[in-house]
Amino acid sequence: KHQNCSYYVRHSLGYTEYICNFNGLLISEKHFIARQKNSKIFAITIKNCLKYKRRIQAMAVAIPVLGDFKFNSSFSYGNDYRGIWCRNSNQLKMYLTSDCKMSSCAYHKESFVRNGKIVTNTKLVDCGSDPALAYAVNVVVPADGETVFYFAISPNGYTFEDPIADFTESVRYFSGLSDTQVHTGIKKLDFLLQWLPYQTTCSRFFGKCGYYQVSGGFGFRDQLQDCLTMLRVDPSAVRQHILTCAAHQFSAGDVMHWWHPPAIGVRTHI
């Protein structure tokens, strides 16, 4: 972060946009998910306000957990045609990739952080022991022009076939989550009831931010309760979640209290 520039954040239905105006560059970064492809996308637009072209190194960083806590996970690393990846001991895998050609990459934080600051405009050389994926690309922004490129995090490697269509679908889906209007005579309650489906779907169902959803795990009891707010807006997702929870019950009657797929978590034994 630079002191002599402006930063803005816009939270909208289906995406969040970060905007920065610095040194003749207007930069927009939109975060959204491709629901059907189980991927998080970062769409970056750089507009050059100057009369000469700019050469820029952009770097995406992802700190893996792939479990309940980072210190409980051990990782292996590598890269293939889909991007760079890390995998934990339970074979859960994540990819970090871009639609631009990779200029360099690293798998540990010490490779790009020195004295508490991110090192930029240099080729990454992997070193250290603190897991963190870094994917660097070089982009050229023409004079008075703009460049658009993407990064993505996914379990199988996002292919960038049509990220614009994925963005449009995300906005369409999330914009429709709170189109229900309830009239109780109490305006505050009406507003709360209208936005509960959107808030619950984003934070509890997809974000898995509930108290008993450790590091994005599935929560048996909590998420089934959360599904009540989604019955009207996305009944197929509710049905699939009920089936998923049923698959994590035992013949003794107890369940997985929370878990990471396929069944890494805590059994209730109650």
Side-chain angles (χ1 to χ4, degrees):
K1 180 178 179 179
H2 297 276
Q3 293 182 350
N4 299 321
C5 63
S6 300
Y7 292 88
Y8 305 91
V9 180
R10 177 188 294 126
H11 297 292
S12 189
L13 300 176
Y15 70 96
T16 290
E17 182 178 17
Y18 300 87
I19 302 170
C20 172
N21 190 346
F22 175 71
N23 196 23
L25 297 173
L26 181 60
I27 305 170
S28 163
E29 180 175 307
K30 290 181 179 178
H31 295 197
F32 63 95
I33 63 171
R35 291 191 310 117
Q36 305 302 327
K37 300 171 184 176
N38 199 19
S39 301
K40 182 175 182 178
I41 316 301
F42 308 88
I44 302 165
T45 302
I46 302 179
K47 183 177 181 181
N48 184 6
C49 302
L50 302 179
K51 300 297 182 181
Y52 54 88
K53 68 180 179 181
R54 312 286 292 274
R55 298 182 184 275
I56 298 170
Q57 182 194 65
M59 182 171 66
V61 174
I63 299 176
V65 178
L66 296 179
D68 52 2
F69 297 101
K70 182 179 177 181
F71 55 76
N72 285 336
S73 298
S74 59
F75 302 103
S76 57
Y77 310 93
N79 65 82
D80 56 37
Y81 69 95
R82 289 171 289 186
I84 64 175
W85 54 264
C86 71
R87 180 173 53 209
N88 70 5
S89 56
N90 292 307
Q91 303 305 306
L92 291 177
K93 198 173 188 179
M94 64 162 283
Y95 275 89
L96 175 60
T97 187
S98 173
D99 66 331
C100 295
K101 181 180 178 181
M102 182 176 67
S103 61
S104 60
C105 68
Y107 305 100
H108 297 91
K109 185 177 179 180
E110 294 88 342
S111 306
F112 54 89
V113 175
R114 310 283 170 74
N115 299 319
K117 295 183 179 180
I118 294 179
V119 177
T120 57
N121 297 320
T122 185
K123 184 177 181 179
L124 294 170
V125 178
D126 190 45
C127 63
S129 59
D130 191 0
L133 302 186
Y135 190 115
V137 300
N138 295 323
V139 296
V140 176
V141 189
D144 284 326
E146 68 178 32
T147 296
V148 180
F149 59 98
Y150 301 87
F151 290 104
I153 297 175
S154 65
N156 300 307
Y158 183 71
T159 60
F160 302 98
E161 292 177 357
D162 196 345
I164 296 177
D166 289 333
F167 173 76
T168 301
E169 194 280 333
S170 178
V171 172
R172 180 203 61 78
Y173 175 81
F174 286 101
S175 295
L177 290 177
S178 284
D179 59 359
T180 301
Q181 293 188 358
V182 180
H183 300 284
T184 65
I186 305 174
K187 290 185 177 180
K188 291 182 178 180
L189 181 59
D190 294 346
F191 188 79
L192 173 65
L193 293 174
Q194 180 182 359
W195 286 103
L196 273 177
Y198 182 88
Q199 293 172 331
T200 302
T201 304
C202 291
S203 65
R204 303 294 290 262
F205 199 75
F206 287 125
K208 297 183 174 69
C209 300
Y211 183 73
Y212 283 107
Q213 294 169 257
V214 181
S215 295
F218 284 83
F220 187 94
R221 180 198 63 191
D222 291 17
Q223 280 192 289
L224 284 173
Q225 293 174 164
D226 296 335
C227 282
L228 291 174
T229 67
M230 298 174 58
L231 284 172
R232 179 187 177 278
V233 296
D234 198 342
S236 62
V238 173
R239 181 181 186 277
Q240 182 56 51
H241 186 72
I242 292 173
L243 294 176
T244 299
C245 288
H248 290 79
Q249 291 179 294
F250 300 93
S251 57
D254 60 329
V255 303
M256 294 289 290
H257 189 47
W258 61 262
W259 72 90
H260 291 272
I264 306 165
V266 175
R267 183 175 174 177
T268 58
H269 293 289
I270 297 175

